[in-house]
Amino acid sequence: MRKLKTERQPEILDAALAIADERGLDALTMRAVAERIGLTPMALYGYFRNKDELLDGLVGRLLTTLPMGPPAESWDQRLSAFAWATRRLAREHPGVFPLLFARPSVTPDAVRVVDWIYQALIDAGVPDAEVPRIERMVSTFVLGFATSEANGRFSAAGHDVRSRRARGDFPAHQRLMPYLDSPTDLDAEFAADLADLVRIIRPA
């Protein structure tokens, strides 16, 4: 397997991120990235063998912006800071962020983040055999919430439409309507969800 060049990879990934932010992931092609930085498409393949490698690199590029607190902080402080920063990242790059949900964590930057979460869970006292499962639970919650919020699933407009359609034969909706019709504070909800996760993780 031929060795890839690396000296311009950060520049290439920044260009890919800019294109995806401006025009969406569908517009992110090897040709578009090459044109953005003044390379030929063939030259770009010297840095990334194909679009899948470029997308994996973009996942790593996003993850490098997340703060990873020092070991001196408690494990729950570290996980909380990571979760809030991930949510902010989704707001800043709503069109690109779903890649974190769709692509495997295979680049060194992505593996570093997973390893950091593993260490926080180990420090929390989670048995080694359970750490991978709990990491998947934490990551799925954080990524899922952030993606849903950034892409409109939690929007007030969508909630209003569902509430109107639920005024028929949906007994659970009818019972919960006083709560469903109340404004949702997503900051408070995210904080409460994180507190619930910490209670699940914290050893008895």
Side-chain angles (χ1 to χ4, degrees):
M1 184 178 294
R2 62 186 172 85
K3 185 176 178 61
L4 293 173
K5 295 182 283 188
T6 60
E7 68 275 8
R8 296 190 69 179
Q9 282 186 353
E11 178 189 3
I12 292 167
L13 292 173
D14 284 345
L17 181 59
I19 291 169
D21 279 340
E22 293 164 8
R23 306 190 333 243
L25 282 172
D26 288 343
L28 182 59
T29 64
M30 299 293 276
R31 179 176 296 278
V33 175
E35 290 176 353
R36 175 67 67 107
I37 61 172
L39 288 176
T40 65
M42 286 307 297
L44 188 63
Y45 287 103
Y47 295 90
F48 295 93
R49 294 183 180 88
N50 49 51
K51 186 176 178 180
D52 280 340
E53 282 195 359
L54 180 67
L55 292 177
D56 287 340
L58 193 52
V59 168
R61 167 66 178 79
L62 287 173
L63 291 176
T64 60
T65 67
L66 294 176
M68 291 185 283
E73 293 182 348
S74 65
W75 66 269
D76 51 326
Q77 289 175 322
R78 281 178 274 157
L79 285 182
S80 179
F82 167 79
W84 285 100
T86 301
R87 187 173 171 228
R88 287 193 297 273
L89 185 64
R91 292 173 169 177
E92 293 167 2
H93 304 286
V96 185
F97 188 83
L99 277 178
L100 273 67
F101 227 177
R103 307 294 303 178
S105 300
V106 295
T107 66
D109 291 322
V111 173
R112 187 175 298 110
V113 171
V114 174
D115 189 77
W116 181 88
I117 298 174
Y118 283 169
Q119 189 60 58
L121 296 175
I122 291 169
D123 293 345
V126 175
D128 287 4
E130 295 296 309
V131 166
R133 178 180 69 83
I134 300 299
E135 183 277 328
R136 286 190 291 271
M137 180 180 71
V138 171
S139 296
T140 299
F141 158 69
V142 174
L143 295 176
F145 191 106
T147 300
S148 295
E149 181 183 21
N151 287 279
R153 182 170 177 262
F154 294 160
S155 69
H159 169 76
D160 290 344
V161 170
R162 185 162 61 89
S163 292
R164 288 197 299 273
R165 291 176 177 171
R167 295 186 186 280
D169 297 327
F170 299 97
H173 278 73
Q174 294 302 313
R175 172 173 174 157
L176 298 174
M177 199 59 71
Y179 308 102
L180 296 176
D181 283 344
S182 299
T184 300
D185 183 339
L186 290 177
D187 288 341
E189 185 169 309
F190 191 67
D193 291 346
L194 285 177
D196 287 342
L197 273 177
V198 167
R199 281 193 290 272
I200 292 171
I201 296 168
R202 195 185 303 279

